[in-house]
Amino acid sequence: MVYLPLILGFSLVAFGYSQDLELQTSISTDYKETTEPVKVTSPITEQLPEKVTEKSIESSIRNALKFLISQRENDWSWRNDTPKVLTALKLLHVYEDVLDDILPSAYELQLSSKQMEIEIVIMLWRHHEIPIAPSQLAEYCLALSALCYDPRQFHGHDLIGTLQHHEAPNDLDFAYLTLAACTARAHVRKKQIRRLLDIANTAKDHNIVAMTILALRCIVMDHRHRNLQHSLRRPSISLARQQQTDGGFGNIYNTALVMQALDDLTELKSYWNKTAAKAYLEGRQDPDGAYTDAGLTSDVLLALIEKGLGVIRLLDCGRHDSDYENNVDIEGLTKSLSAHGNDSEIRNVTVTYTLWIGSNITENCTISITAPRNTSFYTIMQMAMDMDSHFAFEASEWPNGHYVHTLAGYKEEPMGYNYWLLYRLPELPDPSAPPANQLVAPVGVDDLLIEEGDHYLFWYKKL
Ligand SMILES: *[C@@H]1O[C@H](CO)[C@@H](O)[C@H](O)[C@H]1NC(C)=O
Ligand SMILES: *[C@@H]1O[C@H](CO)[C@@H](O)[C@H](O)[C@H]1NC(C)=O
Ligand SMILES: *[C@@H]1O[C@H](CO)[C@@H](O)[C@H](O)[C@H]1NC(C)=O
Ligand SMILES: *[C@@H]1O[C@H](CO)[C@@H](O)[C@H](O)[C@H]1NC(C)=O
Ligand SMILES: *[C@@H]1O[C@H](CO)[C@@H](O)[C@H](O)[C@H]1NC(C)=O
Ligand SMILES: *[C@@H]1O[C@H](CO)[C@@H](O)[C@H](O)[C@H]1NC(C)=O
């Protein structure tokens, strides 16, 4: 078998890779499709916090909400802040009783969320002219999740897949992106979790640590990652200790984010003073209820109502989260249970497939393909060939599968040591940092089954 030399040559690969493979079971939920209306009537499953009754808090929330409503444009958007504001409005429904007179009605909320969908479509449509900013996409994904839309099925487009294809340029964006993916219940790789833990323990910026804690707290909601709970303690405590004498954590934004990260971690109570942090925020509210602009006002609102970005995953979108949390296996609940790690679940995933020609990468092309999970990479290659003639290939059939010897018109030349090597990568391959040999796929094209977030590369190179 011609694959043998590769398998032998890179036999360590399989071991390195299997670590990630064991966590690759994707989760699916019975989220609504994006074409269904928003459900605005069911707030968070948890009880209202006791603090609701505190007069001053209530009035600062009221004023901030009034400010947000006053900022709404004629097209029902909040310009660049639409996703942030919508997220805050949805979470504010825990205060339905006291805010009923000013909260937007279900129809108003629906108009705004339709406007947001248009914004997302425009962003996707124009991504060749204006590259999508990962953090902006993450913001939209979080808002969609909050509104009970599934960002993995945005009118047939997997926004989380798109999000995870982006290499996170910095730690803050990385944590934010991972939070958005986790909130949508997408698979978070071990490698990503390791990076988060690393950031949580080393970063100095309060907002980076806070965002990382939010992402990790989301991840530990998944029963498979419960064991990480303990590793949150140390970074949380050291973050809590950064509170300054004025009650804040440096500035309004950082304070709001840190409060979201630390809220309801009762074991941290002795390390910081929540009342003082709230007082810090209230003292900085403008007379019209604003915190500078609609975006920051939304961030602060989440802190004041003690329902941060971290609780979006717990929103009741008809998914029986409490049943899931206890992982109880009861007849009739199988649907919600199957939402967690049921491998035989059929759903579409998006992968990219790239060709590189030459050790110096003189030619390249990439295609993105959506197919049901568990499709073989061989099938993906056939789909790619049908979509784009660059991906035409020829393979010989062997008892244990196909061997690809020619791609894009380049045939392997064993005499010249020119071979096609297949890599399975966690990120889109970057010619300026070509993948190491450990990432060569451990099996042949027939046995390689696609998973969300996979990036495949066939590289014609001299060995
Ligand atoms: C927390 O801060 C508030 C307001 O600054 C203050 O009244 C209270 O005594 C503080 N609590 C503790 C335990 O220090
Ligand atoms: C997974 O889901 C399928 C159908 O959705 C079901 O038949 C199967 O029993 C489930 N398996 C487990 C382990 O829950
Ligand atoms: C994936 O596909 C293979 C063969 O196509 C099949 O044997 C296996 O049961 C499938 N696994 C899942 C989880 O669907
Ligand atoms: C997967 O994609 C195909 C076509 O791209 C579509 O027909 C099918 O309905 C999708 N399935 C799911 C579960 O989204
Ligand atoms: C590849 O680049 C190296 C130096 O960067 C050069 O020496 C070599 O000739 C190039 N090979 C080809 C085939 O262009
Ligand atoms: C792919 O090749 C084109 C030229 O053919 C080049 O402009 C582009 O930068 C290359 N893309 C990557 C990712 O290297």
Side-chain angles (χ1 to χ4, degrees):
M1 183 59 220
V2 196
Y3 256 110
L4 213 51
L6 295 186
I7 293 173
L8 291 179
F10 308 109
S11 61
L12 286 177
V13 174
F15 296 101
Y17 204 80
S18 63
Q19 282 201 349
D20 275 344
L21 284 182
E22 75 189 32
L23 277 176
Q24 294 221 344
T25 49
S26 294
I27 309 167
S28 171
T29 64
D30 46 347
Y31 268 107
K32 293 175 188 127
E33 292 279 343
T34 31
T35 41
E36 283 180 35
V38 196
K39 187 165 155 191
V40 287
T41 46
S42 66
I44 303 163
T45 46
E46 293 166 10
Q47 294 300 307
L48 288 179
E50 299 152 10
K51 295 270 155 71
V52 175
T53 48
E54 274 181 32
K55 206 71 202 156
S56 68
I57 303 280
E58 197 200 296
S59 77
S60 60
I61 292 172
R62 281 186 88 83
N63 293 338
L65 175 57
K66 277 183 191 155
F67 169 75
L68 287 184
I69 305 288
S70 77
Q71 295 299 299
R72 191 167 54 193
E73 301 283 321
N74 287 335
D75 64 5
W76 299 90
S77 80
W78 281 266
R79 296 193 222 184
N80 292 339
D81 293 323
T82 313
K84 273 194 174 185
V85 176
L86 276 176
T87 304
L89 290 180
K90 180 65 197 289
L91 293 177
L92 266 168
H93 271 269
V94 292
Y95 283 96
E96 242 174 341
D97 299 345
V98 280
L99 297 176
D100 201 33
D101 52 327
I102 40 174
L103 270 174
S105 71
Y107 283 121
E108 289 177 300
L109 210 49
Q110 220 169 76
L111 282 167
S112 293
S113 65
K114 287 292 169 201
Q115 180 61 25
M116 184 178 78
E117 287 183 56
I118 293 172
E119 286 177 18
I120 298 173
V121 170
I122 292 172
M123 174 185 70
L124 295 173
W125 176 29
R126 301 190 61 188
H127 76 277
H128 288 298
E129 300 158 53
I130 307 167
I132 298 174
S135 59
Q136 188 193 8
L137 183 55
E139 221 167 70
Y140 282 123
C141 288
L142 281 165
L144 287 170
S145 295
L147 294 165
C148 291
Y149 290 148
D150 184 353
R152 290 172 309 170
Q153 296 178 44
F154 180 74
H155 301 286
H157 192 99
D158 180 0
L159 295 178
I160 298 292
T162 306
L163 194 61
Q164 295 199 315
H165 288 174
H166 279 91
E167 223 166 309
N170 59 54
D171 289 345
L172 181 62
D173 281 355
F174 174 73
Y176 194 41
L177 262 56
T178 313
L179 172 64
C182 169
T183 299
R185 295 169 184 254
H187 170 67
V188 178
R189 286 164 189 257
K190 251 190 183 171
K191 187 180 149 195
Q192 292 171 287
I193 297 175
R194 265 187 236 116
R195 180 167 169 196
L196 286 177
L197 290 170
D198 206 42
I199 298 170
N201 286 304
T202 56
K204 297 275 177 283
D205 264 320
H206 301 341
N207 56 346
I208 295 177
V209 179
M211 192 61 87
T212 307
I213 289 174
L214 281 168
L216 284 167
R217 287 185 63 189
C218 175
I219 286 166
V220 301
M221 288 176 195
D222 185 331
H223 63 92
R224 291 171 303 174
H225 301 311
R226 277 283 158 82
N227 57 337
L228 290 173
Q229 183 79 50
H230 67 92
S231 38
L232 274 166
R233 191 177 150 78
R234 205 170 71 89
S236 304
I237 290 176
S238 68
L239 182 60
R241 283 185 168 150
Q242 304 298 317
Q243 189 171 31
Q244 293 165 15
T245 45
D246 61 6
F249 289 83
N251 58 38
I252 296 176
Y253 177 72
N254 285 3
T255 307
L257 202 60
V258 171
M259 285 179 72
Q260 294 178 45
L262 301 181
D263 243 339
D264 71 310
L265 287 177
T266 42
E267 72 271 23
L268 291 183
K269 264 185 185 153
S270 54
Y271 296 96
W272 70 300
N273 184 336
K274 190 193 285 187
T275 317
K278 279 190 167 171
Y280 171 92
L281 289 178
E282 283 178 16
R284 278 150 187 82
Q285 190 167 27
D286 296 341
D288 62 354
Y291 289 90
T292 316
D293 57 23
L296 187 56
T297 306
S298 305
D299 294 327
V300 172
L301 265 175
L302 297 190
L304 291 179
I305 64 175
E306 300 183 24
K307 297 284 169 225
L309 294 174
V311 307
I312 298 176
R313 187 175 157 136
L314 297 174
L315 282 171
D316 175 14
C317 291
R319 277 173 280 131
H320 308 290
D321 278 299
S322 52
D323 305 326
Y324 152 52
E325 289 299 349
N326 299 327
N327 208 14
V328 193
D329 200 352
I330 303 171
E331 279 282 320
L333 292 180
T334 41
K335 197 164 179 213
S336 65
L337 287 172
S338 74
H340 313 286
N342 186 336
D343 262 359
S344 52
E345 199 80 38
I346 307 280
R347 66 178 188 81
N348 284 341
V349 300
T350 301
V351 300
T352 71
Y353 169 23
T354 301
L355 295 180
W356 283 359
I357 316 289
S359 299
N360 289 355
I361 316 173
T362 48
E363 280 179 55
N364 70 74
C365 53
T366 297
I367 194 170
S368 173
I369 293 191
T370 300
R373 194 168 159 259
N374 203 21
T375 303
S376 75
F377 182 64
Y378 184 73
T379 309
I380 298 296
M381 292 180 69
Q382 290 175 311
M383 291 168 73
M385 176 158 65
D386 291 342
M387 290 158 74
D388 182 343
S389 60
H390 283 102
F391 291 88
F393 72 94
E394 286 171 50
S396 43
E397 274 193 86
W398 294 80
N400 56 345
H402 291 89
Y403 181 73
V404 177
H405 55 73
T406 304
L407 262 163
Y410 289 87
K411 192 173 191 334
E412 285 196 343
E413 298 169 343
M415 300 298 282
Y417 300 100
N418 284 315
Y419 285 98
W420 279 108
L421 292 193
L422 175 59
Y423 297 76
R424 166 136 96 175
L425 305 169
E427 268 134 27
L428 198 61
D430 174 4
S432 64
N437 286 339
Q438 301 91 279
L439 293 167
V440 168
V443 292
V445 286
D446 301 278
D447 296 324
L448 208 50
L449 303 179
I450 61 163
E451 283 285 1
E452 186 60 57
D454 278 347
H455 300 269
Y456 293 90
L457 166 67
F458 248 128
W459 188 2
Y460 188 70
K461 67 185 284 199
K462 212 179 185 71
L463 291 186

